[in-house]
């Protein structure tokens, strides 16, 4: 018989820890229930709470004193959800998910209770809940749940460590396979087999190629062109290998047939210096303000940045830039032990024609940052 242990799973103890954290959050906020919405494979809090990777839209309802319930789509995904979900009460959400959520709220006698909401609940669903249950109190708890999840458990860190290993292996595959004449949009063919062979999948593989002596783009591109690589090109990258809902991330720069020109070498050296400065500053108890201040070394070298300077793994907080380039209205955060972050300085010239990104995935410790990537921190020169 097909069973949970046939798939990547977390331990029963880890899943119980997560559920206890949810009940603790509900108690702290004085809520009678918590309704969590998610959609898309691997991406949502539904996966974190059920150990089933979701796929289409789904809700999970937590209520003090009662077992949680999963309402899910699609009907042909129902058998798999029953196998993988650690929450045993799994139900197909019917022909209309919104109607099924209303029925579940009535079934659990929550029509006039305080209900926390997490996730991008469809406007139509939320409106109907407000119309049908005017005496209920609905509270957005998405931000507080995301903050709760920023400190990772040992089991989560081990999964990110494995995803980071896959990411390292994809960088090695690029180093061995890049050559003049290859189209930019062929590059994923080098990267993805590394993941697929180990049961993983691609998170992202953003790349931009250009002549080193005539640069024209400051960031790794989210879409691949049909441009053919040539001797004297460089390739800037942002690559994430993923495994069962968690991804690593690494940023390295490649060149074809020759090493970096002096201009590119200076920029690369400045990016590495920015990365290493931040990795030395960040530890348990350090603040994002301190990290922003330390990152000013990038501007002192004559460069700016485009992308976020730091983000939590899987795009969790903290997410911020340098003090000079601040774009987000984020309150100061304190780094805590077992947060997992990506430090990723994306240096650019002031005219935005030249840029590269350097970074990797690290876990915050009491003493500093431990890298989860093992690939050398260097510019990579490939044969023509």
């Amino acid at each position: 018989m097909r069973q949970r242990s046939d798939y990547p799973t977390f331990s029963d103890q880890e899943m119980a820890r997560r559920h206890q954290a949810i009940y603790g959050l509900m108690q702290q906020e004085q809520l009678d229930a918590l309704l969590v919405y998610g959609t898309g494979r691997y991406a949502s809090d539904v996966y974190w709470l059920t150990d089933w990777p979701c796929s289409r839209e789904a809700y999970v309802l937590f209520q003090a004193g009662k077992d949680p319930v999963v309402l899910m789509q699609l009907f042909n995904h129902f058998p798999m959800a029953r196998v993988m979900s650690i929450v045993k009460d799994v139900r197909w959400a019917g022909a209309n998910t919104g109607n099924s959520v209303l029925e579940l709220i009535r079934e659990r006698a929550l029509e006039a209770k305080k209900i926390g909401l997490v996730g991008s609940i469809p406007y139509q669903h939320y409106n109907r809940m407000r119309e049908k249950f005017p005496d209920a109190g609905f509270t957005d708890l998405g931000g507080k749940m995301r903050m709760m999840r920023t400190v990772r458990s040992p089991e989560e860190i081990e999964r990110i460590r494995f995803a980071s290993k896959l990411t390292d292996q994809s960088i090695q595959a690029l180093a061995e396979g890049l050559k003049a004449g290859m189209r930019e949009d062929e590059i994923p063919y080098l990267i993805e087999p590394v993941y697929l062979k180990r049961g993983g999948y691609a998170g992202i593989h953003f790349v931009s190629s250009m002549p080193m002596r005539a640069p024209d783009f400051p960031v790794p591109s989210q879409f691949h062109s049909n441009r053919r690589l040539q001797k004297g090109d460089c390739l800037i990258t942002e690559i994430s290998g993923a495994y069962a809902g968690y991804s690593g991330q690494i940023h390295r720069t490649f060149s074809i047939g020759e090493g970096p020109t002096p201009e590119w070498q200076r920029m690369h050296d400045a990016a590495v210096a920015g990365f290493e400065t931040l990795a030395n500053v960040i530890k348990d108890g350090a603040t994002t303000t301190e990290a922003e201040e330390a990152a000013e070394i990038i501007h002192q070298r004559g460069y700016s940045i485009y992308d976020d300077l730091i983000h939590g793994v899987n795009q969790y907080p903290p997410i911020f830039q340098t003090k000079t380039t601040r774009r987000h209205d984020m309150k100061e955060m304190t780094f805590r032990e077992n947060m997992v972050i990506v430090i990723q300085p994306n240096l650019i010239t002031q005219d935005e024609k030249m840029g590269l990104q350097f970074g990797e995935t690290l876990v915050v410790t009491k003493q500093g940052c431990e890298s989860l990537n093992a690939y050398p921190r260097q510019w990579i020169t490939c044969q023509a």
Side-chain angles (χ1 to χ4, degrees):
M1 290 290 292
R2 197 174 293 263
Q3 53 192 340
R4 283 191 75 234
S5 59
D6 295 333
Y7 302 88
T9 58
F10 287 101
S11 69
D12 290 352
Q13 293 79 10
E14 168 67 7
M15 297 308 298
R17 180 196 69 83
R18 297 178 185 187
H19 289 188
Q20 283 303 117
I22 289 298
Y23 289 123
L25 182 61
M26 289 167 54
Q27 185 175 30
Q28 173 188 308
E29 300 297 319
Q30 299 182 325
L31 298 173
D32 299 294
L34 185 72
L35 187 63
V36 179
Y37 176 86
T39 183
R41 191 180 185 203
Y42 297 119
S44 75
D45 292 315
V46 172
Y47 187 20
W48 192 74
L49 292 168
T50 66
D51 224 12
W52 162 63
C54 202
S55 56
R56 300 291 181 169
E57 67 178 6
Y59 283 95
V60 186
L61 178 70
F62 281 84
Q63 185 177 2
K66 295 190 177 183
D67 292 335
V69 178
V70 175
L71 282 179
M72 54 75 59
Q73 296 289 2
L74 300 166
F75 188 54
N76 61 310
H77 297 193
F78 182 43
M80 194 74 261
R82 287 186 298 183
V83 169
M84 295 186 73
S85 175
I86 200 162
V87 174
K88 297 308 177 186
D89 190 350
V90 179
R91 310 177 188 181
W92 176 48
N96 186 300
T97 304
N99 289 342
S100 297
V101 172
L102 298 180
E103 291 168 9
L104 180 60
I105 290 172
R106 291 192 189 96
E107 174 192 322
R108 290 298 185 90
L110 293 169
E111 300 100 317
K113 301 294 186 179
K114 296 179 180 178
I115 303 173
L117 302 176
V118 172
S120 301
I121 294 173
Y123 172 80
Q124 296 89 341
H125 293 187
Y126 177 71
N127 257 8
R128 294 198 65 197
M129 284 190 280
R130 293 297 303 268
E131 290 171 4
K132 296 295 182 181
F133 309 124
D135 296 327
F138 294 102
T139 303
D140 178 14
L141 248 62
K144 290 185 177 180
M145 183 169 174
R146 283 180 67 81
M147 290 301 300
M148 182 183 74
R149 290 186 57 186
T150 58
V151 176
R152 305 293 180 162
S153 71
E155 289 189 36
E156 287 181 292
I157 291 172
E158 282 308 303
R159 190 166 290 189
I160 300 166
R161 191 183 301 275
F162 182 68
S164 298
K165 182 178 180 180
L166 295 184
T167 308
D168 281 346
Q169 291 171 357
S170 70
I171 290 290
Q172 184 61 41
L174 282 181
E176 295 170 358
L178 285 176
K179 58 185 178 182
M182 174 180 288
R183 295 194 319 274
E184 192 177 284
D185 57 15
E186 290 181 88
I187 291 172
Y189 182 74
L190 297 176
I191 297 170
E192 295 201 22
V194 173
Y195 310 143
L196 297 175
K197 189 174 183 179
R198 302 295 299 276
Y201 56 96
I204 59 172
H205 33 57
F206 299 164
V207 302
S208 293
S209 66
M210 68 195 84
M212 281 191 286
R213 293 169 179 82
D216 65 357
F217 206 68
V219 295
S221 174
Q222 298 81 43
F223 303 98
H224 309 122
S225 75
N226 60 10
R227 180 183 181 275
R228 291 192 180 275
L229 302 183
Q230 304 170 32
K231 182 179 178 180
D233 277 359
C234 68
L235 183 81
I236 60 176
T237 69
E238 179 177 8
I239 294 173
S240 292
Y243 182 79
Y246 291 77
S247 64
Q249 190 169 117
I250 194 168
H251 314 76
R252 295 291 187 268
T253 301
F254 302 78
S255 58
I256 309 296
E258 60 178 297
T261 65
E263 294 79 11
W264 283 98
Q265 186 67 61
R266 280 196 296 272
M267 177 176 275
H268 187 266
D269 290 346
V272 174
F275 172 89
E276 292 180 344
T277 297
L278 287 161
N280 288 329
V281 167
I282 294 170
K283 60 184 176 181
D284 181 64
T287 66
T288 53
T289 300
E290 291 170 332
E292 285 180 332
E293 293 283 354
E296 288 298 298
I297 186 176
I298 294 167
H299 302 289
Q300 292 162 11
R301 295 283 189 100
Y303 301 105
S304 188
I305 68 167
Y306 223 121
D307 202 351
D308 297 322
L309 179 70
I310 290 175
H311 63 75
V313 74
N314 288 34
Q315 291 296 321
Y316 269 74
I319 301 174
F320 62 96
Q321 304 79 41
T322 64
K323 184 175 65 173
T324 298
T325 62
R326 187 179 296 157
R327 295 187 301 276
H328 295 168
D329 184 20
M330 190 194 81
K331 295 180 180 178
E332 181 180 72
M333 278 183 62
T334 300
F335 291 96
R336 292 301 178 202
E337 184 178 18
N338 291 337
M339 283 184 172
V340 184
I341 62 173
V342 177
I343 302 177
Q344 53 167 39
N346 166 217
L347 272 63
I348 63 170
T349 53
Q350 299 300 328
D351 63 7
E352 300 189 6
K353 289 184 177 180
M354 178 179 170
L356 61 78
Q357 197 152 11
F358 182 89
E360 56 197 52
T361 307
L362 309 102
V363 58
V364 178
T365 74
K366 290 188 180 298
Q367 292 75 38
C369 289
E370 174 202 347
S371 181
L372 299 182
N373 292 98
Y375 198 88
R377 294 175 181 172
Q378 62 188 28
W379 181 287
I380 304 160
T381 303
C382 304
Q383 295 183 354

